[in-house]
Amino acid sequence: MHLRVLLSLLSLAAAAAAAAVPVHAAGLSSLSGLSSPLHHRSLLRRNEEFQPLVTADFPHLLGIGRLRAWMAAPHDAVDPCADFYDFSCRGFGRRYAALANTDILSLMQRSNTMLIEQVLAQPSSDALSVSAAEREIFFTLRDYYRSCTNHDIITKRGFDPIVRIASAIVKACDARGASLPRVFGELHARGVYPVFRSIYSKVESDDPRDLRLQFVPANAFDVSVQTIHDVLADFAKAGLIGSGDGNLMDLARWVWDVEQEAIVFLRDLGKQRSLRDSDDQFMSLDELERQTSMDWHAYLEPLHLDAVKHVFLFANADNWISSFRGLARFAVQDLKYFFLWRLAASHYNKLSLPYHDRWSQEMYAKVVSTPYEDVPDKDLFQTNCILETGVHLNYLAGHVFVKYALNATQRAAATDLVQSLVSAFRDRLQTMDWMDEPTRKAALAKLDNMVRVVGYPDWLTDAQTVAEYHSALEFDPEKYFENAVQAQLFTDLVPSIHQLRRQTVDRASTYLGYPWQLNAFHLTDLVQIQINAGLLQRPLFSSSNPSAMNYGSVGMIIGHEITHGFDSNGYQIDRDGVRREWMTPAVQRVFVEHAQCFLDQYRQYSVTLSTGKRIPSAASRRSPRTWPTTAVSTPPTAHGGRPCHGRRDRTCPRRPDALRLRRPVARAGVFHFVWPDMVCGPRRPAHCVPRQQGYPCTKCRPRQRRRGQPPAVCQSVWVRCNDAPRPSVALTVPPVLI
């Protein structure tokens, strides 16, 4: 669906969903798993969150039952003073050895993902007895998911779906009097970003009242001339490049030259110390037009951003101006070949398998970006349809997830936990002897102004609001390409349109990512912490746990996010999210000295592998579960023999015999024995196994095998350990009702 049609449906929905305007989302990887009927009896008895079981005993039991299970585990073979990690993890690696290189967090992610899978797999009849808004959410999600998994139709359609967009690009470039900004707008309205992309929002570390259209560099691709030639040949076969356009190889060399200039542009921007280098980056739209001699109002029209008055140029204004002037020297009709190439780089991963594989191997593998942006470590489209649905339809899928995974009781307990940690941090701020009063007052003001989103924002559970916000989306279960482009456009552009209409930043309504993602965030610019509902699940959290268990697991994550507002970056951002010094010079000096103490101490750590190789401190920051059998040397203490945390010694923890459950629970003991759950996992000497061992590749794209055929072996030389065979567990789909 073209963006103009998509957005024409938004006028009524915008007003109704104004209170729920989110920011752009991002997503991470998730794994699949199996459920067990054992869980449902527990579900009915607990009347708590729905959480599918990955194995017969994971997630762990709740509360006292979990403590009993820990007490029953054989600890005598492990000396806590010699290996506290293995002692506390209760033989996790041995118990789940068949799951290969799997840790607790990845098992939790599987369980969370299974919930969405089971909801989308339910019969349509289960959705007919609920409200119209709930039905709309369910069918929108299901239609997208089904189109992603409908591999036969995707294969049959081949290259045809992209031809319509390519024809529109050629028509826009060949139009009489076509301007480059106008063509940029038409490209962005179709999800194609050659040179740059844009978003209307608050500039990082700037006044939240000063909203602007930010020009952000698009990724470039350091590919071969042959790769570009093959792409142009595809469009030539479709009749979009004629014989009169010239030799394809010559055109490919010319496009390659333009791509190399885009790489230089990116690398020049990357040399800047920060994305905000000078006040020259802030300008009016009229000033941008004057400096580039281009009509940038024409760019805004296809994106429905006509009301924009001010812009911000990422990292360095001079680089942007000179690049736009350089592009203006080319005829728009000639640039269409470069734009067709970028169309392929943007959307080949949404086509059938041959094009998807070319995109993955020849384009995505050669991506170039600035150091200010993270490039996802894996392709999203078609490789994991549940994750893809969650990322691009994050609020629709999020509404479904939190409905079953985090009930009011669980969320209230988590909110109390966050409040207790904030209060404890507040007490510490009030007693820090190295702070003077002006700094203490500013720190407390920032803490009091910190927005806390626990599990989800309130609007996410309002089916009417969520449905109306997404009412413009119309998916066809047999047209995956069009659905994927439409969903990507919605994620990229609609938040900017809503933000432009509102002209205010609502920190409490902002939600990043998708709720079942095992992550938490501190949004520095918004002075907000976000604790995802995916984290507030067993074994890390439950309202049935003793408080010491929750503090020892998920409490550590929450405390970590709180302190981000006051760390080496947060201390430079004030209570409103503006980069402004709020520490007095004297306190800043003490802060830096205290930070240096930790640097000095941790630089003296070293890790020795089972091979005898010693890893220096910079590498020792990796998670312990990724090391082979290791020995960590005892670091010399810093600052006159006193560790930075202020404790001179630590004694070996004893087995908490107080947990006989007939006596009061030893809270400190429970806290320390639960904490390792965050990192429990098998410590294996190898991260991959050779392909010739014949492990079935459970993570290969499903289209590599047909229904009824055995799993194919991965085409790559190495198979990740997570793809090793998993133990068989009975699959039971519970009656999850929408």
Side-chain angles (χ1 to χ4, degrees), residues 20-21 146-147 188 222 262 278 285 298 325 342 351 490 580 591 608 642 685 712:
V21 176
R146 285 186 173 180
S147 72
H188 289 189
D222 194 6
S278 70
L285 190 67
R325 289 174 178 172
R342 281 303 186 94
L351 293 172
F490 192 91
R580 182 184 300 131
F591 181 89
T608 303
R642 181 173 62 83

Side-chain angles (χ1 to χ4, degrees), residues 240-535:
L240 296 167
I241 299 177
S243 57
D245 291 321
N247 181 275
L248 277 183
M249 185 56 74
D250 291 339
L251 290 176
R253 291 192 185 96
W254 182 82
V255 171
W256 185 86
D257 287 337
V258 177
E259 191 68 42
Q260 292 302 304
E261 290 300 319
I263 294 174
V264 172
F265 170 63
L266 276 176
R267 289 174 175 165
D268 286 344
L269 290 179
K271 294 176 183 177
Q272 304 301 314
R273 290 174 297 178
S274 66
L275 62 85
R276 178 177 175 179
D277 187 59
S278 70
D279 290 339
D280 293 342
Q281 297 166 246
F282 296 82
M283 64 179 67
S284 67
L285 190 67
D286 293 339
E287 178 63 16
L288 179 63
E289 290 187 337
R290 188 188 66 79
Q291 292 197 39
T292 60
S293 300
M294 293 180 176
D295 179 14
W296 285 102
H297 285 85
Y299 165 72
L300 301 175
E301 184 180 347
L303 304 178
H304 294 252
L305 296 173
D306 309 67
V308 167
K309 303 297 181 185
H310 299 90
V311 300
F312 172 82
L313 303 179
F314 182 100
N316 184 282
D318 291 339
N319 285 354
W320 285 95
I321 300 302
S322 61
S323 295
F324 285 140
R325 289 174 178 172
L327 284 171
R329 292 196 295 267
F330 295 104
V332 176
Q333 291 80 2
D334 294 335
L335 285 172
K336 70 183 177 185
Y337 307 111
F338 174 66
F339 296 151
L340 287 174
W341 149 247
R342 281 303 186 94
L343 168 62
S346 299
H347 293 324
Y348 263 30
N349 57 345
K350 305 173 186 69
L351 293 172
S352 59
L353 187 59
Y355 301 99
H356 186 287
D357 283 351
R358 282 170 54 191
W359 181 91
S360 179
Q361 298 165 14
E362 301 176 24
M363 303 176 203
Y364 180 75
K366 304 293 185 180
V367 69
V368 178
S369 66
T370 67
Y372 308 108
E373 294 188 293
D374 295 328
V375 177
D377 59 359
K378 59 184 288 187
D379 176 31
L380 175 64
F381 291 96
Q382 300 189 68
T383 60
N384 188 326
C385 291
I386 285 291
L387 178 61
E388 178 182 341
T389 303
V391 170
H392 291 297
L393 304 175
N394 56 330
Y395 303 121
L396 290 172
H399 171 83
V400 170
F401 179 79
V402 301
K403 181 176 180 179
Y404 299 106
L406 192 69
N407 64 22
T409 300
Q410 292 287 91
R411 191 187 186 210
T415 302
D416 290 343
L417 182 68
V418 173
Q419 179 56 49
S420 297
L421 289 164
V422 170
S423 297
F425 189 75
R426 188 182 206 343
D427 292 341
R428 291 200 174 189
L429 288 177
Q430 291 175 325
T431 57
M432 287 179 175
D433 56 7
W434 54 271
M435 274 190 177
D436 57 24
E437 286 309 309
T439 301
R440 192 188 320 280
K441 182 178 180 181
L444 291 171
K446 182 173 184 180
L447 183 65
D448 292 341
N449 198 44
M450 184 179 291
V451 173
R452 305 189 288 271
V453 177
V454 182
Y456 51 86
D458 292 338
W459 57 263
L460 192 62
T461 57
D462 185 340
Q464 191 67 31
T465 296
V466 174
E468 288 182 347
Y469 181 75
H470 296 84
S471 61
L473 295 174
E474 296 179 358
F475 296 139
D476 185 331
E478 296 188 354
K479 293 185 177 181
Y480 169 73
F481 179 87
E482 291 83 351
N483 295 346
V485 172
Q486 185 185 165
Q488 181 178 331
L489 282 173
F490 192 91
T491 302
D492 289 348
L493 300 179
V494 171
S496 292
I497 296 171
H498 282 281
Q499 187 67 80
L500 180 62
R501 291 171 178 171
R502 295 187 61 184
Q503 284 299 310
T504 57
V505 177
D506 186 352
R507 298 187 298 137
S509 293
T510 300
Y511 195 79
L512 183 67
Y514 50 99
W516 76 87
Q517 179 185 14
L518 261 75
N519 213 338
F521 308 95
H522 184 108
L523 306 184
T524 307
D525 259 17
L526 300 177
V527 194
Q528 182 212 81
I529 60 170
Q530 174 184 313
I531 314 300
N532 278 358
L535 273 176

Side-chain angles (χ1 to χ4, degrees), residues 33-45:
L34 297 175
S35 183
S36 166
L38 297 175
H39 176 261
H40 308 309
R41 293 194 294 271
S42 178
L43 171 65
L44 296 175
R45 183 174 64 252

Side-chain angles (χ1 to χ4, degrees), residues 168-187:
I169 291 174
V170 171
K171 181 179 179 181
C173 291
D174 290 342
R176 179 178 299 180
S179 70
L180 187 57
R182 174 73 189 199
V183 174
F184 277 143
E186 297 289 350
L187 289 165

Side-chain angles (χ1 to χ4, degrees), residues 139-158 160-162 350-352 382 474-486:
F139 287 118
T140 301
L141 280 172
R142 195 191 62 175
D143 286 348
Y144 185 92
Y145 178 68
R146 285 186 173 180
S147 72
C148 181
T149 58
N150 204 336
H151 310 303
D152 291 339
I153 292 181
I154 294 174
T155 300
K156 182 179 180 180
R157 298 186 75 198
D160 291 345
I162 205 171
K350 305 173 186 69
L351 293 172
S352 59
Q382 300 189 68
E474 296 179 358
F475 296 139
D476 185 331
E478 296 188 354
K479 293 185 177 181
Y480 169 73
F481 179 87
E482 291 83 351
N483 295 346
V485 172
Q486 185 185 165

